[in-house]
Amino acid sequence: MAGEIHSEMQCNQVEALLAEILDGTLQGETLKGFETHQQSCASCRAMIDEARAGMNWLEALDEAEPPRNLVHNILAQTIGALPSEHAVVKPRGEGWLERLKGRLAPMFAPIATPRFAMSFGMAFFSITMLLGIAGFHFADVRHWDLSSKGIRRSYYEAQVRVMRYYENVRWVYEIESRVRDLRRAGAPDQNAQPQQQQEAPAPNPKNPSKSDNRRPGPQRQNYSRGNGEPVLATFPAVMLAAIPQARQNRRTA
Amino acid sequence: MDDNQAVNALVRRCVSGDAAAWQEIVQQYHRRIYNICYRFSGSADDASDLAQEVFIKMYRTLSTFDTTRASFMTWVTTVTRNLLVDHFRKGKYDRITDSLDAAPGDQEDGLTFAERLEDKGLSPEARVRSQETQKLVHEALRRLSPELREAVILRDLQDMDYKDIAKVLNVPEGTVKSRINRGRTELARLLQRNYKQAN
C-alpha cells in the first residue's frame, strides 16, 4: 500500500491524514486529492473504513456512572470532611433515620467489616458462655433488688461470705499447725529443729514492732517438702490469740 | 470570565486552603477521572480506587499546577494518565492478550466473543446501543496495548484535541494521531473480524 503511487496522493499520505479524514477537517486541494485517491485505492478505502468503524464503536460507548460514595471517599481521604449538602446527591424528603445513617455510616465504616463483625460475634459468644458456666443468667437480673438498701445488703452478705470462707481456711491452717506441733512434741527430732525454724520462723519477741509491721502468716511460709515430711503452713500464736478479739470487734462494729 | 479563568481561580482558592473550592473541583472532575480509569483498567472497583488515588495525588500537588503551561483539564488528565501508567508498570493491570474467540472468564454463558457479537442479530447502530455490546466493546478496548488504549480513550471517549493529548502523553502530535488510528483500526478488527467469522 505504501509503495503504491497514485496521481493525486500517495497511500502513506492518506495514512498520515487519516485522523483529519475521519474528523472531516480536510479542505481544499488536500480534500480533492484524497477523494481522487480513495476512488482508485481499495486498500486505503479499507483502512479508512476500519478506522472509522473503530471510532464509531468507541464513540458509542456510554459514560460510566461513578459509585455514589466516590466523592465522599475522595473528600474523606483528602480534606477529611464530608461533602457539603449541595454536593451530595440525596433524595429529597428523606427521614431522620436516613440522615442519621448517613452521618453514622462514615464513622463506623472502618469497623463495619465482616472481620470485625466475626470477632465481635465470637467475643459475645465467649462471654455469654463463660457467664453461663459461672451461673449467671440474664433472666435473673429482673429479680435483683437494685435499691440502695438491697445493694448494701448484698454487699454485706458477700463480705460475710468471703470472711467466713477466709476464716475457714485459717482454721484449717491452725488445725494443721496444732497437729504438727503435737507430732513434734511426741517425737522430738534434733536435726529437724533448725530446718523447721528456718522454714517457719516464729515471731521475734525481742522486736515486736518489726514483726507487727510485717504480715506474718501463710504467705511467707516455705511450702516445699523437707526430709520427706510435708511441712504444713503455720499460723503464729500471736495472731491466734488476736482472732477472738478481732471477731468481737467486728461484731461490735 | 471564561471557563479556564474560572477554574484557575478555583484552583487558587483551593491552594490557599479553601475546602469548598476543593469540593467543587472534586465534583467537577470526578466523573471524567473515574471514566478514564474505568476504561483503562477495565474494572469498576479498580477505577474507584484509582480515581481516589488520583485525587489524593492532585490534592498534594495542586500547588505545582502552572496555569501558563497547560489548562487545568490537561493537567488533571496528565496526573491521571501518569498514575495509570505507574500502576500498569507495576503489573497490577496487565494487558489481556486472550483471543477474542476464547470465552472470557467472567462470562459464564459459554459463548465466545464472536458468538456474543453475533447473538443479537441487530444493525451495528442498534448493537452499539445495547448494553451487551457496550460490554463487548469495553472488553475489546481492554485488549488493546496501553499506548493505543490511552490514545483512543482520550480522543474518542474524552474528546480531547490532539494537541492536549500530545501534552498528556508527552509525545509529538503525529505520534498521537498514529496511535489513535492504529487503536481504532485494531479495535475494529477485533470486533468486526470475529463478527464476520461468526457469520
Side-chain angles (χ1 to χ4, degrees):
Chain A
M1 180 178 69
E4 295 177 42
I5 298 174
H6 300 272
S7 57
E8 299 295 332
M9 189 178 280
Q10 293 182 359
C11 290
N12 57 356
Q13 288 177 295
V14 172
E15 191 174 359
L17 290 171
L18 183 56
E20 285 82 1
I21 292 166
L22 295 179
D23 292 341
T25 55
L26 282 186
Q27 289 177 343
E29 292 299 317
T30 316
L31 178 61
K32 285 181 184 174
F34 159 69
E35 285 174 346
T36 307
H37 175 85
Q38 187 191 18
Q39 289 172 358
S40 59
C41 182
S43 60
C44 281
R45 279 203 305 275
M47 176 185 69
I48 293 168
D49 288 345
E50 271 188 337
R52 181 173 282 123
M55 185 178 73
N56 291 337
W57 286 113
L58 285 165
E59 288 181 345
L61 276 177
D62 292 334
E63 189 182 54
E65 190 64 28
R68 282 193 64 187
N69 60 350
L70 181 61
V71 173
H72 169 268
N73 291 344
I74 290 167
L75 293 176
Q77 291 187 40
T78 49
I79 57 177
L82 296 175
S84 59
E85 288 301 316
H86 73 275
V88 180
V89 181
K90 285 181 178 175
R92 289 186 179 276
E94 63 181 4
W96 62 271
L97 191 60
E98 284 73 18
R99 287 200 300 273
L100 186 65
K101 280 181 184 173
R103 289 183 184 278
L104 291 180
M107 294 167 62
F108 290 100
I111 60 170
T113 59
R115 186 160 55 96
F116 276 96
M118 192 69 179
S119 305
F120 180 78
M122 290 300 291
F124 179 78
F125 175 74
S126 305
I127 292 170
T128 308
M129 194 173 66
L130 283 173
L131 288 175
I133 291 171
F136 179 85
H137 299 289
F138 286 101
D140 297 340
V141 172
R142 59 193 173 126
H143 299 302
W144 288 0
D145 185 3
L146 296 176
S147 64
S148 60
K149 190 182 289 183
I151 291 171
R152 199 179 300 129
R153 186 169 56 233
S154 301
Y155 168 73
Y156 284 120
E157 283 175 1
Q159 189 183 31
V160 165
R161 276 202 300 271
V162 170
M163 290 300 295
R164 198 172 292 154
Y165 175 76
Y166 177 66
E167 287 175 359
N168 287 341
V169 173
R170 287 204 310 197
W171 280 111
V172 170
Y173 286 149
E174 285 177 30
I175 293 166
E176 287 175 345
S177 177
R178 291 283 177 86
V179 169
R180 192 180 60 182
D181 288 341
L182 289 172
R183 279 185 184 171
R184 195 181 301 142
D189 188 357
Q190 297 299 327
N191 295 331
Q193 188 65 23
Q195 186 179 356
Q196 185 190 356
Q197 284 180 354
Q198 186 183 356
E199 290 175 351
N204 188 1
K206 292 179 181 177
N207 193 2
S209 61
K210 188 177 177 181
S211 62
D212 289 341
N213 291 334
R214 296 174 62 186
R215 188 178 175 187
Q219 286 89 345
R220 292 192 292 108
Q221 302 304 318
N222 185 0
Y223 294 100
S224 62
R225 293 166 186 265
N227 295 333
E229 183 181 359
V231 178
L232 301 176
T234 59
F235 198 79
V238 177
M239 295 301 292
L240 278 176
I243 285 172
Q245 184 61 39
R247 191 174 297 146
Q248 183 63 34
N249 292 341
R250 190 167 57 250
R251 283 173 184 161
T252 307
Chain B
M1 183 185 285
D2 64 1
D3 288 346
N4 274 340
Q5 287 176 328
V7 171
N8 291 344
L10 200 61
V11 172
R12 279 195 296 274
R13 278 173 52 205
C14 187
V15 171
S16 64
D18 188 346
W22 173 247
Q23 283 192 26
E24 206 169 329
I25 288 174
V26 173
Q27 283 293 334
Q28 280 189 24
Y29 292 94
H30 79 280
R31 295 184 73 89
R32 177 186 179 85
I33 292 175
Y34 174 80
N35 269 273
I36 294 174
C37 295
Y38 175 61
R39 295 303 180 191
F40 192 88
S41 68
S43 158
D45 291 337
D46 290 341
S48 182
D49 294 342
L50 287 165
Q52 290 179 48
E53 286 185 39
V54 168
F55 275 101
I56 291 169
K57 193 173 176 184
M58 275 173 59
Y59 188 73
R60 288 174 181 162
T61 59
L62 199 60
S63 57
T64 64
F65 166 60
D66 186 357
T67 54
T68 60
R69 291 182 63 185
S71 67
F72 186 66
M73 178 75 80
T74 305
W75 183 77
V76 166
T77 311
T78 305
V79 172
T80 308
R81 183 260 176 183
N82 290 342
L83 191 131
L84 289 171
V85 169
D86 286 346
H87 277 262
F88 179 79
R89 283 179 183 152
K90 288 175 187 170
K92 195 172 180 182
Y93 307 103
D94 207 351
R95 181 188 176 190
I96 299 169
T97 54
D98 297 341
S99 165
L100 287 180
D101 289 324
D106 55 348
Q107 302 287 334
E108 296 181 355
D109 53 5
L111 297 175
T112 65
F113 203 86
E115 284 169 343
R116 276 185 285 145
L117 255 185
E118 175 265 343
D119 193 37
K120 297 288 178 185
L122 303 171
S123 66
E125 291 80 10
R127 281 203 308 275
V128 166
R129 289 193 192 96
S130 71
Q131 192 68 25
E132 180 68 12
T133 308
Q134 295 255 338
K135 289 180 185 174
L136 297 177
V137 177
H138 181 67
E139 288 173 14
L141 185 62
R142 290 175 61 191
R143 287 172 167 81
L144 295 182
S145 69
E147 290 81 13
L148 304 186
R149 197 188 322 159
E150 64 186 3
V152 295
I153 285 173
L154 296 181
R155 176 62 188 168
D156 292 329
L157 300 183
Q158 300 299 324
D159 292 325
M160 291 180 73
D161 58 33
Y162 299 112
K163 196 175 173 182
D164 287 340
I165 296 173
K167 282 182 185 173
V168 170
L169 302 184
N170 200 22
V171 292
E173 210 172 309
T175 307
V176 169
K177 289 178 181 175
S178 171
R179 286 183 185 177
I180 290 169
N181 292 335
R182 282 193 288 136
R184 288 167 174 170
T185 305
E186 192 172 325
L187 185 85
R189 283 177 184 165
L190 285 168
L191 293 165
Q192 289 178 344
R193 182 186 61 201
N194 288 275
Y195 177 65
K196 285 175 184 172
Q197 284 175 356
N199 285 336

